[in-house]
Amino acid sequence: MNDMRGMAIARVTIRTVADDAGVSVAAVSKVLRNAYGVSEALRANVQASIERLGYRPSTAARSMRGRTNTVGILLVEMANPFLPAVVGSINKVLAAANYKSLMGVGEAQLQIETSLIESMIDFRMDGVILIAPRISGTLLDGFAAQIPMVVIGHHEAGSTAFDTINSDDVKGAKIAVNALIAAGHRKIHMISLPRHLHSEIDVYHQREAGYVAAMQDAGLTDQIMILRSSQRSPSREMELAEIVANRTATAYFCWSDIHAVALYGVASAAGLRIPKDLAIVGYDNSPIAALQPLNLSSIDQNADAIGTTAVKALISRIEGRSVAEHILMEPRLERRDSF
């Protein structure tokens, strides 16, 4: 029997695997993380070397190199029925890429949002996805200098520090208004949110621009009216009841299904028949829009594509891309019975 005492057993590292497979360390890392763009041939080659050498990736070593395979998700709120579909898509794609996620809710408050992002940085997450943050671009630039960042529901195409993934909100609003016009409506008003300091970066501001442009293009400039209502109950319903009581419009385009569904309820309670007495189009095509008796027509942002695209962009950032990407997804109208 050979005496093995005193003989050093060489430690198998990621570089050992790379040398054995005849590829770069970066290629092995991509295979280990199940990254996008890895060919089956490369995966099989690296996996064969891993099995042959008995390599076991070290979680501690990944953390020391700055990789934890965790991604932070920051939601503006939980009340918006569109957001769960986006988060579900994000988590599905992250899991397939061997990432875990931790989620925080900013409650549309600057102090909470900034504190959560700082915590995500402190916990050495590999990147963050922000969904409809109320933080200004200047603050986001500062955070993006510390951690790879992708932002959804935030129109700031001039940023060079982070990526944005959005529905083409201007186009979506135009689609909604043009559909109402095609249905014979001329007195079309829009219901939107109250303006705030940085509202030009928000989706509702973009949808307002689309509404105005569509009305102007149709020669209906004199009919343009944007009515503002709170996002939360009970103020929202009280304000919408007043809008319905004093209405001069035959149709309303709502910035979100949040207001479209509430408007439907208020109008029905006032005895109005939809769509005979009043037409309504929402935005987001959230699950509640398809429920009976609503059958609400709504602009679909394609939540699945937004979430998938955001994760791909973030992983690309994590892997070293530094040139910002600003992607607009194509919206479409889901026509139902509300006009």
Side-chain angles (χ1 to χ4, degrees), residues 3-181:
D3 188 355
M4 301 297 294
R5 288 174 298 178
M7 294 183 63
I9 299 175
R11 186 169 65 91
V12 178
T13 68
I14 191 172
R15 184 169 296 282
T16 312
V17 174
D19 291 341
D20 184 78
V23 298
S24 67
V25 171
V28 176
S29 177
K30 286 185 177 183
V31 171
L32 291 172
R33 288 185 292 100
N34 196 24
Y36 289 100
V38 175
S39 69
E40 287 305 315
L42 173 60
R43 191 184 308 278
N45 183 30
V46 171
Q47 289 290 359
S49 291
I50 288 172
E51 292 174 10
R52 182 165 50 250
L53 297 169
Y55 173 66
R56 295 181 62 189
S58 167
T59 301
R62 279 201 305 268
S63 179
M64 288 180 67
R65 292 196 304 270
R67 293 290 183 88
T68 59
N69 279 69
T70 57
V71 166
I73 302 173
L74 175 62
L75 281 175
V76 63
E77 61 173 358
M78 295 294 290
N80 191 323
F82 170 70
L83 299 183
V86 178
V87 174
S89 175
I90 289 171
N91 279 327
K92 179 181 177 181
V93 181
L94 283 174
N98 199 31
Y99 280 89
K100 296 180 176 64
S101 68
L102 294 174
M103 188 171 70
V105 181
E107 300 178 13
Q109 296 184 38
L110 177 62
Q111 184 176 357
I112 296 175
E113 290 186 348
T114 54
S115 176
L116 285 170
I117 296 173
E118 287 168 351
S119 295
M120 291 172 181
I121 293 171
D122 290 343
F123 279 109
R124 302 179 69 178
M125 294 185 181
D126 295 335
V128 295
I129 297 175
L130 312 183
I131 304 176
R134 294 297 172 88
I135 303 174
S136 70
T138 302
L139 281 174
L140 289 180
D141 284 343
F143 287 129
Q146 304 173 63
I147 189 170
M149 179 181 293
V150 174
V151 187
I152 297 171
H154 177 104
H155 287 270
E156 196 159 3
S159 172
T160 59
F162 56 87
D163 302 330
T164 60
I165 314 295
N166 291 293
S167 165
D168 189 337
D169 290 300
V170 173
K171 185 172 184 178
K174 288 181 178 179
I175 291 172
V177 174
N178 287 335
L180 288 170
I181 292 171

